[in-house]
Amino acid sequence: MKQESALMRGPNDPGLQNPSRRTLLLGSAGAMAAVSVLGFTPLAKADEPKSLPDYAAWKERNALIVHSANTMETQRGAIGNGVITSSDRLFVRNNLPAPPASVTDNPDAWEVRMEGVKNPRTLTVGDLKQMGVTTVASVLQCSGNGRAFFPHGASGTQWSVGAAGCIMWTGVPLKDVVEALGGPVDGTRYITSTGGETLPDGLDPKTIIVERSVPTRAMETALLAWEMNDEPLTHTHGGPLRMVVPGYYGVNNVKYVKNVAFTENQTDAKIQASGYRVRDVGVKGAPDQPSMWEMNVKSWVTSPLESGQSGRNMIYGVAFGGTVPLEKVDVSVDGGKTWKQARFLGPDLGPYAWRPFVLAADLAAGEHRIVSRATDVQGNTQPEGRIENERGYGHNGWSDHGVTVAIS
Amino acid sequence: MKQESALMRGPNDPGLQNPSRRTLLLGSAGAMAAVSVLGFTPLAKADEPKSLPDYAAWKERNALIVHSANTMETQRGAIGNGVITSSDRLFVRNNLPAPPASVTDNPDAWEVRMEGVKNPRTLTVGDLKQMGVTTVASVLQCSGNGRAFFPHGASGTQWSVGAAGCIMWTGVPLKDVVEALGGPVDGTRYITSTGGETLPDGLDPKTIIVERSVPTRAMETALLAWEMNDEPLTHTHGGPLRMVVPGYYGVNNVKYVKNVAFTENQTDAKIQASGYRVRDVGVKGAPDQPSMWEMNVKSWVTSPLESGQSGRNMIYGVAFGGTVPLEKVDVSVDGGKTWKQARFLGPDLGPYAWRPFVLAADLAAGEHRIVSRATDVQGNTQPEGRIENERGYGHNGWSDHGVTVAIS
């Protein structure tokens, strides 16, 4: 998502599919420099690359839809029904070119500066590993997951359902680090994290830097993570160190995190000030619009997807409540006319994790529209429709997320 | 473990390290036939194969100790601190040559015969998938895990701590299948599962077949599993279908299961009648000795293993209670003189799963013996020593499982 916000433009802008126009938007450094900054040349859909980029070559190609060299989503049929998403099937959304892959050769040497605390200090990952440790399961989801369903042609990667996964993160609770450094400075209201990507010359850093602010309430659950799914955090996913804010949209989980500051105000970096802001279609992003922080309640069906045989069918899917635990998931096989409560499958990994669900349904021959609708313990439930918005963020409408299955 | 039981012999038998003597024990079919049956030629320790066998070539070589072509354990340092063991790091213990790998080409076509129920029937995996589904995390552990610590030289693979892992299994609850078939026949006391390996000609099937009986109380939790860690169950680990009995030793989790029968008595197959029986050193196996069913409470340290720096050190390990949930784990850094309670790390995946644990300890320079001792909610706790027994089964003594670490 991060790159799209740096390239914010109106939905009818003809430059959307035009590389030279696109690069001009980045500033005066010229087209070739911009292409190099982004690490790839924007491609028309027909030119979609067939192979994985080098930095993600270890991924399971068949599980992914490769939108571009830095946007890959998990195929709906590859999401599975597990409580954890296998790392090699997890979506990828990179923004700036990553630091050299060699930073993960010696992860313990990576440094993060802690500021806005009573005793500011630079700590290595090696230091952090002795300060505390926790393991938290949390859904990682791009703010634009579901964007493909918006009819107004919201700009950005056309994610369907697969820009999401449930991940086991291991690292030090941010709270432990902050307490060891004397606590936040008085009057601070945000935690501002900065990514360690090298910024290109000739561009205003504020327009390109990955720097995100989240409210200090996130300190209770955030962690500085060095492991993902019981493996050292890969370069692909932000290693050696990533800010993880359980239940918050992906962009807030800053990769290669090199600076964490308690601040009075949100950063004025473009990715925060005007990017990731929910506003009406046609409106530009601005700091007074809602920011993409806590995720909303959401679910989708993962099986069956296309066809099936009449009789008993097991309908599978995944559901999560963002920062609020789930209450239930209902499933309809008639497009939402009638509903039955599904059963959760497998252990509950906590409030920020997703829960696979299953419902046994008897399906007659013919076409069925299968939809799911999750409800959290606070009574929030998925709406039927979209909340239309310029960039196609936060779509959790149950109707668009359904599948049409031919039963024979 | 299965093969060793078919090769049962006294601890002082000189044939233990002698391939030709060993093959003779198998019967009259001759040495070469026996070697072919076992799928490998027994090797002296110095000849330990350096590469993985073809059927396990997808495994992470560096995570494993390859004892032989059908016995590979996870390195202690590769166990990690995750709630689930990655499939490519999981130990392998095969017994008979597996059915052709092609059986997993179309897993839904695999058949299992259900007997000892009111309406006996042959079901395919495809049928089972419509009958019900559950996902259960359970420790898979070889009965002989820890055998290497027995001083009397218990015969069989010299497993240290790595013949164990915590796995997420998905399949149909056995209970659902049995209820659909009218329930067990009256008077049955055991669930007897038979593996689908092709038996070699010229040998008495009873001496070689993988057929295990467990008490019918296991019906409440057992499942017929077709997935492991959210992937179709591999041929390596018993796919297309495996009997999984949560909290029971590995051998009861019959691979390539082709027959499940409710029976009045335990099978008279050697692997049940005399194999996997706990008895004094020097005594032969017999049906009146305890069988290796439910696992006992156990833990071990996974980090640090060799050296460390003085000051604060995070001590990691894993612990489980077999069929009983854990209460706590205590850790000692002075060989058991003083203990501190560790903290569990990550979500609790249920009573049959293991729990990673961590303790922050201040270590002075010098040598430290680090040991861990788990206690379950019924008050069972790991003993200090071994319970000496002929085959080196069920070792959960905390002293042997510790590590000596040099702190500088």
Side-chain angles (χ1 to χ4, degrees), chain A residues 78-86 88-89 129-137 168 170 226-227 229-231 312-314 316 343 345-350 358 360, chain B residues 78-86 88-89 129-137 168 170 226-227 229-231 312-314 316 343 345-350 358 360:
Chain A
I79 289 172
N81 49 38
V83 287
I84 291 297
T85 302
S86 169
D88 60 5
R89 290 187 250 161
K129 286 183 176 174
Q130 303 307 328
M131 295 178 78
V133 65
T134 188
T135 295
V136 178
M168 201 72 84
T170 296
W226 54 77
E227 277 187 12
N229 290 350
D230 197 31
E231 301 270 9
R312 197 175 202 222
N313 279 263
M314 304 299 262
Y316 289 92
R343 184 167 54 81
L345 184 63
D348 182 353
L349 302 194
V358 62
Chain B
I79 289 171
N81 48 37
V83 288
I84 290 297
T85 302
S86 170
D88 59 5
R89 290 187 248 161
K129 285 183 177 175
Q130 303 307 328
M131 296 178 78
V133 65
T134 188
T135 295
V136 177
M168 201 72 85
T170 296
W226 54 77
E227 277 187 11
N229 291 349
D230 197 30
E231 301 270 9
R312 199 175 201 221
N313 279 263
M314 305 298 264
Y316 290 92
R343 184 166 55 81
L345 185 63
D348 182 354
L349 303 193
V358 62

Side-chain angles (χ1 to χ4, degrees), chain A residues 21-42:
Chain A
R21 165 93 171 104
R22 177 179 193 163
T23 53
L24 288 175
L25 291 169
L26 280 167
S28 58
M32 293 317 294
V35 166
S36 146
V37 164
L38 296 171
F40 73 105
T41 306

